[in-house]
PDB file of all heavy atoms in Angstrom:
ATOM      1  N   ALA A 134     235.135 254.556 -53.653  1.00  0.00           N
ATOM      2  CA  ALA A 134     235.140 253.983 -52.391  1.00  0.00           C
ATOM      3  C   ALA A 134     234.641 252.483 -52.418  1.00  0.00           C
ATOM      4  O   ALA A 134     234.443 251.909 -51.453  1.00  0.00           O
ATOM      5  CB  ALA A 134     234.232 254.723 -51.406  1.00  0.00           C
ATOM      6  N   ARG A 135     234.438 251.997 -53.685  1.00  0.00           N
ATOM      7  CA  ARG A 135     233.977 250.683 -53.792  1.00  0.00           C
ATOM      8  C   ARG A 135     234.802 249.487 -53.303  1.00  0.00           C
ATOM      9  O   ARG A 135     234.343 248.645 -52.642  1.00  0.00           O
ATOM     10  CB  ARG A 135     233.571 250.313 -55.217  1.00  0.00           C
ATOM     11  CG  ARG A 135     232.405 250.919 -55.660  1.00  0.00           C
ATOM     12  CD  ARG A 135     231.729 250.322 -56.897  1.00  0.00           C
ATOM     13  NE  ARG A 135     230.591 251.129 -57.306  1.00  0.00           N
ATOM     14  CZ  ARG A 135     230.537 251.742 -58.576  1.00  0.00           C
ATOM     15  NH1 ARG A 135     231.382 251.455 -59.437  1.00  0.00           N
ATOM     16  NH2 ARG A 135     229.519 252.500 -58.773  1.00  0.00           N
ATOM     17  N   THR A 136     236.162 249.659 -53.375  1.00  0.00           N
ATOM     18  CA  THR A 136     236.969 248.661 -52.834  1.00  0.00           C
ATOM     19  C   THR A 136     236.863 248.582 -51.302  1.00  0.00           C
ATOM     20  O   THR A 136     236.731 247.478 -50.733  1.00  0.00           O
ATOM     21  CB  THR A 136     238.532 248.944 -53.221  1.00  0.00           C
ATOM     22  OG1 THR A 136     238.658 248.967 -54.609  1.00  0.00           O
ATOM     23  CG2 THR A 136     239.456 247.949 -52.556  1.00  0.00           C
ATOM     24  N   GLU A 137     236.804 249.738 -50.693  1.00  0.00           N
ATOM     25  CA  GLU A 137     236.567 249.840 -49.279  1.00  0.00           C
ATOM     26  C   GLU A 137     235.098 249.205 -48.878  1.00  0.00           C
ATOM     27  O   GLU A 137     234.985 248.448 -47.932  1.00  0.00           O
ATOM     28  CB  GLU A 137     236.568 251.158 -48.789  1.00  0.00           C
ATOM     29  CG  GLU A 137     236.359 251.314 -47.252  1.00  0.00           C
ATOM     30  CD  GLU A 137     236.395 252.782 -46.743  1.00  0.00           C
ATOM     31  OE1 GLU A 137     236.831 253.721 -47.510  1.00  0.00           O
ATOM     32  OE2 GLU A 137     236.067 252.944 -45.629  1.00  0.00           O
ATOM     33  N   GLY A 138     234.189 249.547 -49.781  1.00  0.00           N
ATOM     34  CA  GLY A 138     232.846 248.938 -49.514  1.00  0.00           C
ATOM     35  C   GLY A 138     232.797 247.450 -49.570  1.00  0.00           C
ATOM     36  O   GLY A 138     232.188 246.737 -48.764  1.00  0.00           O
ATOM     37  N   PHE A 139     233.499 246.822 -50.573  1.00  0.00           N
ATOM     38  CA  PHE A 139     233.518 245.372 -50.717  1.00  0.00           C
ATOM     39  C   PHE A 139     234.356 244.816 -49.528  1.00  0.00           C
ATOM     40  O   PHE A 139     234.046 243.743 -49.083  1.00  0.00           O
ATOM     41  CB  PHE A 139     234.185 244.996 -51.944  1.00  0.00           C
ATOM     42  CG  PHE A 139     233.470 245.355 -53.256  1.00  0.00           C
ATOM     43  CD1 PHE A 139     234.021 245.884 -54.382  1.00  0.00           C
ATOM     44  CD2 PHE A 139     232.090 245.148 -53.314  1.00  0.00           C
ATOM     45  CE1 PHE A 139     233.191 246.214 -55.465  1.00  0.00           C
ATOM     46  CE2 PHE A 139     231.247 245.346 -54.390  1.00  0.00           C
ATOM     47  CZ  PHE A 139     231.907 246.013 -55.534  1.00  0.00           C
ATOM     48  N   THR A 140     235.345 245.525 -49.083  1.00  0.00           N
ATOM     49  CA  THR A 140     236.089 245.068 -47.858  1.00  0.00           C
ATOM     50  C   THR A 140     235.289 245.088 -46.645  1.00  0.00           C
ATOM     51  O   THR A 140     235.347 244.138 -45.842  1.00  0.00           O
ATOM     52  CB  THR A 140     237.379 245.959 -47.751  1.00  0.00           C
ATOM     53  OG1 THR A 140     238.130 245.962 -48.898  1.00  0.00           O
ATOM     54  CG2 THR A 140     238.229 245.534 -46.496  1.00  0.00           C
ATOM     55  N   TRP A 141     234.350 246.066 -46.467  1.00  0.00           N
ATOM     56  CA  TRP A 141     233.448 246.126 -45.410  1.00  0.00           C
ATOM     57  C   TRP A 141     232.514 244.828 -45.373  1.00  0.00           C
ATOM     58  O   TRP A 141     232.227 244.297 -44.334  1.00  0.00           O
ATOM     59  CB  TRP A 141     232.680 247.412 -45.217  1.00  0.00           C
ATOM     60  CG  TRP A 141     233.482 248.379 -44.584  1.00  0.00           C
ATOM     61  CD1 TRP A 141     234.012 249.556 -45.185  1.00  0.00           C
ATOM     62  CD2 TRP A 141     233.844 248.547 -43.251  1.00  0.00           C
ATOM     63  NE1 TRP A 141     234.621 250.346 -44.284  1.00  0.00           N
ATOM     64  CE2 TRP A 141     234.618 249.686 -43.084  1.00  0.00           C
ATOM     65  CE3 TRP A 141     233.615 247.734 -42.156  1.00  0.00           C
ATOM     66  CZ2 TRP A 141     235.118 250.135 -41.795  1.00  0.00           C
ATOM     67  CZ3 TRP A 141     234.070 248.088 -40.920  1.00  0.00           C
ATOM     68  CH2 TRP A 141     234.866 249.300 -40.720  1.00  0.00           C
ATOM     69  N   VAL A 142     231.997 244.477 -46.595  1.00  0.00           N
ATOM     70  CA  VAL A 142     231.159 243.377 -46.735  1.00  0.00           C
ATOM     71  C   VAL A 142     231.952 242.074 -46.373  1.00  0.00           C
ATOM     72  O   VAL A 142     231.458 241.270 -45.501  1.00  0.00           O
ATOM     73  CB  VAL A 142     230.625 243.178 -48.113  1.00  0.00           C
ATOM     74  CG1 VAL A 142     229.872 241.836 -48.362  1.00  0.00           C
ATOM     75  CG2 VAL A 142     229.657 244.353 -48.433  1.00  0.00           C
ATOM     76  N   SER A 143     233.151 241.946 -46.862  1.00  0.00           N
ATOM     77  CA  SER A 143     233.918 240.711 -46.414  1.00  0.00           C
ATOM     78  C   SER A 143     234.239 240.650 -44.853  1.00  0.00           C
ATOM     79  O   SER A 143     234.141 239.732 -44.342  1.00  0.00           O
ATOM     80  CB  SER A 143     235.265 240.762 -47.244  1.00  0.00           C
ATOM     81  OG  SER A 143     235.029 240.654 -48.618  1.00  0.00           O
ATOM     82  N   THR A 144     234.534 241.843 -44.365  1.00  0.00           N
ATOM     83  CA  THR A 144     234.857 241.986 -42.922  1.00  0.00           C
ATOM     84  C   THR A 144     233.595 241.662 -42.162  1.00  0.00           C
ATOM     85  O   THR A 144     233.609 240.837 -41.123  1.00  0.00           O
ATOM     86  CB  THR A 144     235.340 243.313 -42.584  1.00  0.00           C
ATOM     87  OG1 THR A 144     236.414 243.633 -43.340  1.00  0.00           O
ATOM     88  CG2 THR A 144     235.592 243.455 -41.018  1.00  0.00           C
ATOM     89  N   ALA A 145     232.456 242.064 -42.614  1.00  0.00           N
ATOM     90  CA  ALA A 145     231.199 241.829 -41.855  1.00  0.00           C
ATOM     91  C   ALA A 145     230.831 240.346 -41.951  1.00  0.00           C
ATOM     92  O   ALA A 145     230.331 239.691 -40.943  1.00  0.00           O
ATOM     93  CB  ALA A 145     230.012 242.590 -42.453  1.00  0.00           C
ATOM     94  N   LEU A 146     231.062 239.729 -43.024  1.00  0.00           N
ATOM     95  CA  LEU A 146     230.775 238.243 -43.187  1.00  0.00           C
ATOM     96  C   LEU A 146     231.663 237.415 -42.173  1.00  0.00           C
ATOM     97  O   LEU A 146     231.217 236.606 -41.515  1.00  0.00           O
ATOM     98  CB  LEU A 146     231.003 237.749 -44.595  1.00  0.00           C
ATOM     99  CG  LEU A 146     229.931 238.151 -45.605  1.00  0.00           C
ATOM    100  CD1 LEU A 146     230.490 237.869 -46.976  1.00  0.00           C
ATOM    101  CD2 LEU A 146     228.691 237.447 -45.326  1.00  0.00           C
ATOM    102  N   GLY A 147     233.010 237.852 -42.216  1.00  0.00           N
ATOM    103  CA  GLY A 147     233.877 237.109 -41.238  1.00  0.00           C
ATOM    104  C   GLY A 147     233.471 237.522 -39.735  1.00  0.00           C
ATOM    105  O   GLY A 147     233.525 236.513 -38.939  1.00  0.00           O
ATOM    106  N   ALA A 148     233.178 238.670 -39.541  1.00  0.00           N
ATOM    107  CA  ALA A 148     232.811 239.106 -38.124  1.00  0.00           C
ATOM    108  C   ALA A 148     231.512 238.455 -37.722  1.00  0.00           C
ATOM    109  O   ALA A 148     231.208 238.185 -36.509  1.00  0.00           O
ATOM    110  CB  ALA A 148     232.688 240.612 -38.000  1.00  0.00           C
ATOM    111  N   GLY A 149     230.670 238.003 -38.684  1.00  0.00           N
ATOM    112  CA  GLY A 149     229.447 237.255 -38.295  1.00  0.00           C
ATOM    113  C   GLY A 149     229.690 235.758 -38.213  1.00  0.00           C
ATOM    114  O   GLY A 149     229.083 235.128 -37.275  1.00  0.00           O
ATOM    115  N   PHE A 150     230.464 235.175 -39.106  1.00  0.00           N
ATOM    116  CA  PHE A 150     230.813 233.775 -38.980  1.00  0.00           C
ATOM    117  C   PHE A 150     231.368 233.353 -37.728  1.00  0.00           C
ATOM    118  O   PHE A 150     231.058 232.363 -37.178  1.00  0.00           O
ATOM    119  CB  PHE A 150     231.580 233.338 -40.295  1.00  0.00           C
ATOM    120  CG  PHE A 150     230.894 233.363 -41.527  1.00  0.00           C
ATOM    121  CD1 PHE A 150     231.503 233.781 -42.723  1.00  0.00           C
ATOM    122  CD2 PHE A 150     229.552 233.003 -41.634  1.00  0.00           C
ATOM    123  CE1 PHE A 150     230.867 233.705 -43.941  1.00  0.00           C
ATOM    124  CE2 PHE A 150     228.875 232.964 -42.859  1.00  0.00           C
ATOM    125  CZ  PHE A 150     229.621 233.319 -44.059  1.00  0.00           C
ATOM    126  N   ALA A 151     232.469 234.133 -37.435  1.00  0.00           N
ATOM    127  CA  ALA A 151     233.228 233.780 -36.219  1.00  0.00           C
ATOM    128  C   ALA A 151     232.386 233.609 -34.899  1.00  0.00           C
ATOM    129  O   ALA A 151     232.382 232.545 -34.301  1.00  0.00           O
ATOM    130  CB  ALA A 151     234.468 234.666 -36.007  1.00  0.00           C
ATOM    131  N   PRO A 152     231.700 234.603 -34.468  1.00  0.00           N
ATOM    132  CA  PRO A 152     230.906 234.415 -33.326  1.00  0.00           C
ATOM    133  C   PRO A 152     229.722 233.535 -33.498  1.00  0.00           C
ATOM    134  O   PRO A 152     229.247 232.814 -32.560  1.00  0.00           O
ATOM    135  CB  PRO A 152     230.364 235.860 -32.970  1.00  0.00           C
ATOM    136  CG  PRO A 152     230.602 236.720 -34.170  1.00  0.00           C
ATOM    137  CD  PRO A 152     231.639 236.047 -34.972  1.00  0.00           C
ATOM    138  N   GLY A 153     229.208 233.355 -34.757  1.00  0.00           N
ATOM    139  CA  GLY A 153     228.080 232.583 -35.027  1.00  0.00           C
ATOM    140  C   GLY A 153     228.578 231.046 -34.831  1.00  0.00           C
ATOM    141  O   GLY A 153     227.810 230.287 -34.231  1.00  0.00           O
ATOM    142  N   ALA A 154     229.687 230.734 -35.322  1.00  0.00           N
ATOM    143  CA  ALA A 154     230.200 229.413 -35.183  1.00  0.00           C
ATOM    144  C   ALA A 154     230.499 229.057 -33.728  1.00  0.00           C
ATOM    145  O   ALA A 154     230.095 227.990 -33.252  1.00  0.00           O
ATOM    146  CB  ALA A 154     231.484 229.138 -36.036  1.00  0.00           C
ATOM    147  N   TYR A 155     231.026 230.060 -33.030  1.00  0.00           N
ATOM    148  CA  TYR A 155     231.267 229.929 -31.641  1.00  0.00           C
ATOM    149  C   TYR A 155     229.967 229.657 -30.896  1.00  0.00           C
ATOM    150  O   TYR A 155     229.766 228.670 -30.093  1.00  0.00           O
ATOM    151  CB  TYR A 155     231.915 231.128 -31.003  1.00  0.00           C
ATOM    152  CG  TYR A 155     232.017 231.098 -29.473  1.00  0.00           C
ATOM    153  CD1 TYR A 155     232.920 230.239 -28.858  1.00  0.00           C
ATOM    154  CD2 TYR A 155     231.158 231.781 -28.725  1.00  0.00           C
ATOM    155  CE1 TYR A 155     232.965 230.285 -27.431  1.00  0.00           C
ATOM    156  CE2 TYR A 155     231.181 231.708 -27.388  1.00  0.00           C
ATOM    157  CZ  TYR A 155     232.107 230.984 -26.690  1.00  0.00           C
ATOM    158  OH  TYR A 155     232.114 230.942 -25.374  1.00  0.00           O
ATOM    159  N   LEU A 156     228.948 230.529 -31.134  1.00  0.00           N
ATOM    160  CA  LEU A 156     227.685 230.345 -30.487  1.00  0.00           C
ATOM    161  C   LEU A 156     226.943 229.034 -30.780  1.00  0.00           C
ATOM    162  O   LEU A 156     226.495 228.292 -29.914  1.00  0.00           O
ATOM    163  CB  LEU A 156     226.813 231.570 -30.850  1.00  0.00           C
ATOM    164  CG  LEU A 156     225.352 231.494 -30.254  1.00  0.00           C
ATOM    165  CD1 LEU A 156     225.338 231.620 -28.813  1.00  0.00           C
ATOM    166  CD2 LEU A 156     224.561 232.674 -30.926  1.00  0.00           C
ATOM    167  N   ALA A 157     227.035 228.649 -32.138  1.00  0.00           N
ATOM    168  CA  ALA A 157     226.372 227.337 -32.437  1.00  0.00           C
ATOM    169  C   ALA A 157     227.174 226.196 -31.800  1.00  0.00           C
ATOM    170  O   ALA A 157     226.425 225.276 -31.254  1.00  0.00           O
ATOM    171  CB  ALA A 157     226.491 227.187 -33.975  1.00  0.00           C
ATOM    172  N   GLY A 158     228.368 226.278 -31.628  1.00  0.00           N
ATOM    173  CA  GLY A 158     229.178 225.197 -30.888  1.00  0.00           C
ATOM    174  C   GLY A 158     228.788 225.114 -29.502  1.00  0.00           C
ATOM    175  O   GLY A 158     228.632 223.988 -28.935  1.00  0.00           O
ATOM    176  N   ARG A 159     228.708 226.258 -28.847  1.00  0.00           N
ATOM    177  CA  ARG A 159     228.307 226.272 -27.442  1.00  0.00           C
ATOM    178  C   ARG A 159     226.979 225.704 -27.237  1.00  0.00           C
ATOM    179  O   ARG A 159     226.660 224.958 -26.340  1.00  0.00           O
ATOM    180  CB  ARG A 159     228.342 227.746 -26.880  1.00  0.00           C
ATOM    181  CG  ARG A 159     229.753 228.271 -26.936  1.00  0.00           C
ATOM    182  CD  ARG A 159     230.626 227.652 -25.810  1.00  0.00           C
ATOM    183  NE  ARG A 159     230.113 227.961 -24.570  1.00  0.00           N
ATOM    184  CZ  ARG A 159     230.493 227.343 -23.476  1.00  0.00           C
ATOM    185  NH1 ARG A 159     231.455 226.525 -23.460  1.00  0.00           N
ATOM    186  NH2 ARG A 159     229.895 227.697 -22.327  1.00  0.00           N
ATOM    187  N   ILE A 160     225.972 226.132 -28.220  1.00  0.00           N
ATOM    188  CA  ILE A 160     224.610 225.594 -28.091  1.00  0.00           C
ATOM    189  C   ILE A 160     224.545 224.196 -28.319  1.00  0.00           C
ATOM    190  O   ILE A 160     223.904 223.432 -27.559  1.00  0.00           O
ATOM    191  CB  ILE A 160     223.765 226.298 -29.075  1.00  0.00           C
ATOM    192  CG1 ILE A 160     223.555 227.808 -28.636  1.00  0.00           C
ATOM    193  CG2 ILE A 160     222.346 225.678 -29.178  1.00  0.00           C
ATOM    194  CD1 ILE A 160     222.894 228.709 -29.570  1.00  0.00           C
ATOM    195  N   VAL A 161     225.411 223.637 -29.258  1.00  0.00           N
ATOM    196  CA  VAL A 161     225.403 222.147 -29.406  1.00  0.00           C
ATOM    197  C   VAL A 161     225.924 221.421 -28.267  1.00  0.00           C
ATOM    198  O   VAL A 161     225.351 220.447 -27.794  1.00  0.00           O
ATOM    199  CB  VAL A 161     226.313 221.784 -30.639  1.00  0.00           C
ATOM    200  CG1 VAL A 161     226.621 220.327 -30.725  1.00  0.00           C
ATOM    201  CG2 VAL A 161     225.652 222.255 -31.997  1.00  0.00           C
ATOM    202  N   ASP A 162     226.968 222.028 -27.659  1.00  0.00           N
ATOM    203  CA  ASP A 162     227.575 221.364 -26.385  1.00  0.00           C
ATOM    204  C   ASP A 162     226.518 221.383 -25.293  1.00  0.00           C
ATOM    205  O   ASP A 162     226.443 220.443 -24.482  1.00  0.00           O
ATOM    206  CB  ASP A 162     228.811 222.058 -25.946  1.00  0.00           C
ATOM    207  CG  ASP A 162     229.962 221.747 -26.937  1.00  0.00           C
ATOM    208  OD1 ASP A 162     229.878 220.797 -27.740  1.00  0.00           O
ATOM    209  OD2 ASP A 162     230.941 222.565 -26.864  1.00  0.00           O
TER     210      ASP A 162
END
């Protein structure tokens, strides 16, 4: 199941970056 595990890590990174960038942008504004 390692390929799936690595995919979950990549997905979690992307899922964190996207709202984090949005939130940071809103806070800057």
